[in-house]
Amino acid sequence: MTTISICVVTAMATILFLTESIFRMIRDYIIPDRIDIHCEVQAVPFAQLSQMQPGEPSAAIRERVIRARNIQTERFSHPQGGGREGAIHCNAQMAERMIHQYAEPDAASLDMLRMAMERLKLSARAYSRILKVARTIADLAGSEKVESMHIAEAIGYRNLDRGDWAERGI
């Protein structure tokens, strides 16, 4: 990772934790297309916090992530067609040709993605990022193919792409 990309990743991570007033000042400078996942997180009232049940243990999540990374390492360790697969280590680094090879949605998923693209007025870059994220979600689920539920979840992670995000104060 180059120094520039590390700075960009750090800046993007920092944006997620800004207070609402600071975010309102800088939101016009954020380019949603350049961020893979963006989610709105609402504050949880104290009464709900004290009643919450424990979620999935961190160790289980860690194991699932390691399995998904191993799947991706294996996927990209065998170059097919003399491409740049050897330089690729994870789904986020896939080129367009690789997206079509490894993250091609089925007809129902493609129709869902088309509707989201039209309704949310998403860009071509957002289309590619949705497919990359969907491929990662499928890997986390241990699924060989990208299915409709993976596409739907990936679309849900595109909050800043929605046309009204600036008005909603996200």
Side-chain angles (χ1 to χ4, degrees):
M1 202 179 258
T2 67
T3 304
I4 293 173
S5 57
I6 291 171
C7 291
V8 169
V9 169
T10 303
M12 287 181 203
T14 303
I15 289 169
L16 298 176
F17 298 104
L18 295 175
T19 64
E20 188 175 331
S21 60
I22 295 173
F23 186 76
R24 283 189 179 145
M25 291 187 310
I26 66 166
R27 70 178 172 213
D28 293 333
Y29 302 101
I30 297 173
I31 305 170
D33 275 0
R34 307 282 181 174
I35 304 171
D36 288 345
I37 298 174
H38 20 93
C39 299
E40 180 177 8
V41 179
Q42 298 291 329
V44 179
F46 180 77
Q48 285 182 331
L49 282 175
S50 62
Q51 297 174 359
M52 292 183 73
Q53 298 294 322
E56 184 178 10
S58 295
I61 295 169
R62 182 179 188 277
E63 287 303 315
R64 203 170 60 235
V65 170
I66 289 170
R67 277 194 307 273
R69 288 304 298 249
N70 289 338
I71 289 168
Q72 293 172 35
T73 299
E74 177 64 25
R75 177 181 299 132
F76 301 121
S77 66
H78 307 292
Q80 298 174 357
R84 56 182 269 238
E85 281 90 345
I88 303 295
H89 304 287
C90 64
N91 295 332
Q93 298 172 319
M94 287 192 290
E96 285 300 314
R97 180 183 59 79
M98 297 168 80
I99 292 171
H100 292 291
Q101 182 178 355
Y102 298 118
E104 190 67 32
D106 60 17
S109 300
L110 196 57
D111 192 45
M112 178 192 313
L113 187 51
R114 180 191 55 77
M115 287 190 312
M117 296 289 296
E118 291 172 358
R119 281 191 187 150
L120 303 174
K121 297 177 176 59
L122 301 177
S123 68
R125 184 176 283 125
Y127 172 85
S128 296
R129 292 197 186 276
I130 288 169
L131 289 176
K132 289 177 185 182
V133 170
R135 176 69 266 170
T136 300
I137 294 167
D139 290 342
L140 287 166
S143 177
E144 185 84 19
K145 295 185 177 208
V146 174
E147 299 172 6
S148 295
M149 63 183 167
H150 306 132
I151 297 287
E153 185 174 344
I155 291 168
Y157 292 137
R158 302 300 301 179
N159 280 351
L160 297 181
D161 283 331
R162 291 173 172 82
D164 66 342
W165 71 273
E167 292 82 29
R168 291 187 299 138
I170 296 177

